[in-house]
Amino acid sequence: MAITMRNVHFSLPLFVSLIVFLGAPRLQAQTEIGVMGGVSLYSGDLSPQEIGLYFQDVRPAFGAFARFGVGRAFALRAGVSAGTVTADASENGLALSGLSFRSRITEFSLVGELNLFTIGQRIAPYVFGGGAVFRFSPEAEFDGDFVQLQPLGTEGQGLPGYDAPYSLTQWAIPLGLGVKILLSDQVTLGLEFGGRKLFTDYLDDVSANSFNYGDVLEGNGELAARLSLPFVEDPDLDGSYSRGGDYDDWYYIGGVSLSFRLSGGSRGSWNSGRGIGCPTF
């Protein structure tokens, strides 16, 4: 699998190989592989609040990862995750009634995990953060089928005087927290939830940029124009519209993981984290 983002060529085998190569001198102590199952959800222009839990927008997510121990209480984790985000302004009670989207997301990430402390030697709460690259493609339902929105240019993208079409491959910063529970010397159960700070406002194809409806209709076609303002019964051809709100786009992934130790010997408890000020309870 290969993804091209501007002048950066990204491939999963190269990504994993680079991680292992850079960390090889320190990663031999603890190596685990694991799988994750959980949920994904969205927050952004089509959300009624910047931070909230909208159960109607929750969708399944899954992933796989490799974790490499570094030092007493720190680990590097390389993973791939897949999920779907969706929102409907009508269901969320917004004035932008008629705007909705869904987008499948594939994410490749490298994050660091820091154990904060231990509870009973087998439970370790942790925080994580790092970098990720993800692929998305917002779609909207039209006449009983789903239409990809980015190629349409619903806010005039690609026309003279407007921004270029946004890239469907973007960078993100994963941030979150979780807890790891040792079920045995070889098996770890994890619970985790985290958000992704994005550098695009087009996860939902909606931004705060203004556009002229007549420009979209003439330059990008009737379908682009109809999907740009489905909540306006009679759009003004010369009118300037802005669909987005004050909220940045985020997506979230949370779930349960199960990981299996491949190397590093037996382990009866988490390290206490001595030397970095982490208490043991």
Side-chain angles (χ1 to χ4, degrees), residues 54-88:
Y54 315 109
F55 290 100
Q56 69 272 16
D57 296 335
V58 173
R59 294 294 184 272
F62 57 92
F65 61 90
R67 179 184 287 131
F68 309 99
V70 181
R72 292 179 178 270
F74 185 75
L76 287 175
R77 187 180 74 204
V80 55
S81 302
T84 300
V85 291
T86 183
D88 188 321

Side-chain angles (χ1 to χ4, degrees), residues 54-275:
Y54 315 109
F55 290 100
Q56 69 272 16
D57 296 335
V58 173
R59 294 294 184 272
F62 57 92
F65 61 90
R67 179 184 287 131
F68 309 99
V70 181
R72 292 179 178 270
F74 185 75
L76 287 175
R77 187 180 74 204
V80 55
S81 302
T84 300
V85 291
T86 183
D88 188 321
S90 301
E91 294 180 357
N92 290 338
L94 298 179
L96 304 175
S97 179
L99 280 179
S100 63
F101 89 104
R102 75 173 186 186
S103 181
R104 296 181 177 89
I105 290 177
T106 302
E107 173 193 278
F108 301 96
S109 63
L110 176 62
V111 301
E113 298 177 351
L114 177 64
N115 295 347
L116 300 177
F117 50 84
T118 61
I119 304 173
Q121 301 300 316
R122 286 187 171 270
I123 301 175
Y126 65 93
V127 294
F128 70 87
V133 61
F134 71 100
R135 179 78 176 177
F136 71 109
S137 182
E139 301 174 327
E141 190 171 7
F142 181 77
D143 285 347
D145 200 2
F146 280 90
V147 178
Q148 291 188 350
L149 294 171
Q150 188 260 11
L152 296 179
T154 56
E155 294 185 355
Q157 294 96 338
L159 299 178
Y162 291 88
D163 292 340
Y166 55 87
S167 174
L168 296 178
T169 302
Q170 298 279 348
W171 298 105
I173 299 177
L175 301 165
L177 50 84
V179 59
K180 290 176 280 192
I181 304 170
L182 287 178
L183 300 182
S184 72
D185 289 352
Q186 306 298 326
V187 181
T188 301
L189 175 70
L191 303 172
E192 180 178 289
F193 186 81
R196 274 63 177 169
K197 166 62 179 175
L198 307 185
F199 298 94
T200 177
D201 195 29
Y202 286 108
L203 181 65
D204 46 19
D205 191 63
V206 176
S207 79
N209 294 334
S210 61
F211 61 93
N212 180 274
Y213 180 81
D215 290 345
V216 176
L217 178 62
E218 181 179 355
N220 288 341
E222 182 180 358
L223 180 58
R226 291 184 63 180
L227 290 177
S228 69
L229 297 174
F231 54 94
V232 179
E233 293 185 1
D234 187 18
D236 181 0
L237 290 177
D238 296 322
S240 181
Y241 294 89
S242 177
R243 307 183 298 171
D246 298 328
Y247 306 140
D248 295 332
D249 290 346
W250 286 67
Y251 68 88
Y252 302 85
I253 296 177
V256 179
S257 67
L258 202 62
S259 60
F260 305 88
R261 176 183 288 275
L262 298 180
S263 65
S266 65
R267 176 183 61 194
S269 65
W270 291 108
N271 291 315
S272 66
R274 292 170 185 163

